[in-house]
Amino acid sequence: MTRPTGSALRLTVFVGEHDTWHHKPLYSEIVHRAHAAGLAGASVFRGIEGFGASSLIHTSRLLSLSEDLPVAIVIVDTEERVRAFLPQLDELVTEGLVTLDACEVIRSAEGEKSP
């Protein structure tokens, strides 16, 4: 696993929390593939409200009929490593949004472990 500093690329994938890949959550498959590809890290964030191409608003508010909340998977690594991972997303993400943003990593370190 790499720990980039300096210039990097942020990959964000927006899907629904109920989107699946072979009967398991799509966001989980993306995270596991990113891990297997040796990317620096991936995080999944669950939205509380949003809409996409369908223009249907999904919300977590009580009494709402929609429960398929938006999910964002965020991965940050070097541009080369992120771009090398994109073909896997072509296979996985049939509906949703995939974005790339240039970013700068200021700090990428694990906390010190006590003996």
Side-chain angles (χ1 to χ4, degrees):
M1 175 179 17
T2 62
R3 288 202 180 114
T5 56
S7 295
L9 202 58
R10 177 178 48 228
L11 166 65
T12 307
V13 182
F14 298 93
V15 295
E17 75 176 323
H18 293 297
D19 291 348
T20 60
W21 176 259
H22 295 278
H23 307 293
K24 55 188 258 198
L26 177 58
Y27 61 83
S28 180
E29 182 67 18
I30 293 170
V31 167
H32 284 86
R33 287 194 186 196
H35 184 261
L39 293 171
S43 297
V44 178
F45 300 94
R46 184 178 189 224
I48 58 171
E49 190 166 38
F51 70 94
S54 71
S55 292
L56 177 65
I57 294 180
H58 302 274
T59 180
S60 64
R61 286 184 282 171
L62 196 60
L63 303 177
S64 169
L65 297 177
S66 173
E67 295 180 8
D68 188 19
L69 296 172
V71 173
I73 304 100
V74 179
I75 298 169
V76 176
D77 207 322
T78 64
E79 180 172 357
E80 179 182 340
R81 294 175 69 79
V82 169
R83 290 196 183 277
F85 184 68
L86 293 178
Q88 293 200 53
L89 293 180
D90 287 340
E91 176 187 1
L92 296 172
V93 181
T94 57
E95 294 181 14
L97 176 67
V98 178
T99 65
L100 291 172
D101 302 290
C103 63
E104 183 177 355
V105 175
I106 303 300
R107 182 167 186 220
S108 177
E110 291 185 20
E112 291 184 7
K113 300 185 186 207
S114 15

